[in-house]
Amino acid sequence: MSCRRQRAFGALPHELAWTLSIFFIAFALGQLVVGPLADATGRAPFVLGGLAILVVGSLICALAPSLPVMLAGRAIQALGACAASVLARAIARDLYHGPELTRALALVMIAMAAAPGFSPALGTGMTLLLGWRSIFLLVAGAGALVAICFWVSAGETLPAAQRRSAKPAAIARTYSGLACDPRFIRPALAVSLVIGCLYSFFAAAPSILMTDLGFSAADLSLFFAATVAVVFGSGLMTARLARRWDAPRVGMAGILIALTGGVWLAVQGSAPTQFPFMAAVTLFLAGMGLVNPVATAIALEPFGDRAGIASALLGFLQMACAALGTALIGSLPIGPAAAYALVVCGGTLLAALIFYPALRNRSDLTNAPGSIA
């Protein structure tokens, strides 16, 4: 798809790469605005408004006559998409707590993992049949359908009595308070590092699988789709495991499983072979599927009165770690396989070190009202 857009706009490859960078920048920064405003005025206006903005941005991209217009469309699209991403977690926190919150967040995370998992196959097929612009039309249609479903079945989930001030000083105090609160920052930063490794995988995998391991474009699409099944299975186990053991233990187990996958990747070095590489990535994904909903639930559980801001800061940390991981893979003076292994090892090891105090001091997390332990 990138080659076809490159020809359509007469753009150089590094110029076209800005379509992804602009999206991530707008997505990361937009969350910090949406979260506190949704805590002040309610979820529904921002979910519906965000989806409307997503549709408009997608239509601009589909009809873009030039690269600058495409970049503008991608920024608008990201601002709409970030609202749905932030508020999906916040709405889950509004409605559930305990193991039910873990289960709800697992379903949210599975849905988020399905998008990058299935999009290569879907995008390739639509580009071949209908052209690359059809992909943005599909996104616009999906956004409109989700908005209708939300309007009919969900509606507002934040009662007026629980809304907070949207004054800049109050918002700044809340953000700084969350950043300094170990109940939030330990699990939030740990899961963000693991998610950063996941995005690094999606960035590095095409080069590793197609150049180093000889995958075709179809093989690559199938591999990405298979990753969804791994995350799906792992995510569905989290609520049951959190009931049997306390949530911090399950989260730490997920981080260690992901770290084991990273170590296995590092052992393979810069010249992996197909089966060991795929097995190591599967192990990492299984661990990520465990820690993601559990650590997210731990981070959000004590802050139901500011779930929008907490979800926004969590999303920002995840995008920042994703940007750092993908930047490292592109800048390290080693091959993509070795760089990816280094990022996964470093990221998951750091996540384990950050999360370990939360594991040792579980009372910090479990004494709060509505604990998930």
Side-chain angles (χ1 to χ4, degrees), residues 1 5 9 19 22-23 27 49-66 69-82 84 126 131-146:
M1 183 179 70
R5 278 189 287 174
F9 296 141
T19 61
I22 288 290
F23 184 92
F27 193 101
L51 290 169
I53 292 171
L54 172 67
V55 170
V56 171
S58 300
L59 292 176
I60 291 173
C61 292
L63 302 173
S66 63
V69 177
M70 169 63 77
L71 294 177
R74 289 290 277 169
I76 295 170
Q77 190 184 42
L79 292 175
C82 78
M126 292 191 65
W132 63 264
R133 295 179 187 272
S134 65
I135 298 171
F136 292 105
L137 294 176
L138 176 64
V139 173
L145 181 61
V146 171

Side-chain angles (χ1 to χ4, degrees), residues 27 62 73 108 132 199 251 274-275 296:
F27 193 101
V108 171
W132 63 264
Y199 278 98
Q274 284 191 10
F275 177 78
T296 300

Side-chain angles (χ1 to χ4, degrees), residues 349-364:
L349 178 59
L350 187 56
L353 294 174
I354 290 171
F355 195 76
Y356 184 64
L359 178 69
R360 293 196 61 187
N361 302 295
R362 291 191 295 276
S363 60
D364 291 348

Side-chain angles (χ1 to χ4, degrees), residues 3 11 19 23 64 75 122 142-143 202 225 243 249 300 309 311 333 336 350 353:
C3 292
T19 61
F23 184 92
L122 183 61
F202 286 120
R243 284 196 187 97
R249 286 178 178 172
L300 297 183
I309 292 183
S311 178
L350 187 56
L353 294 174

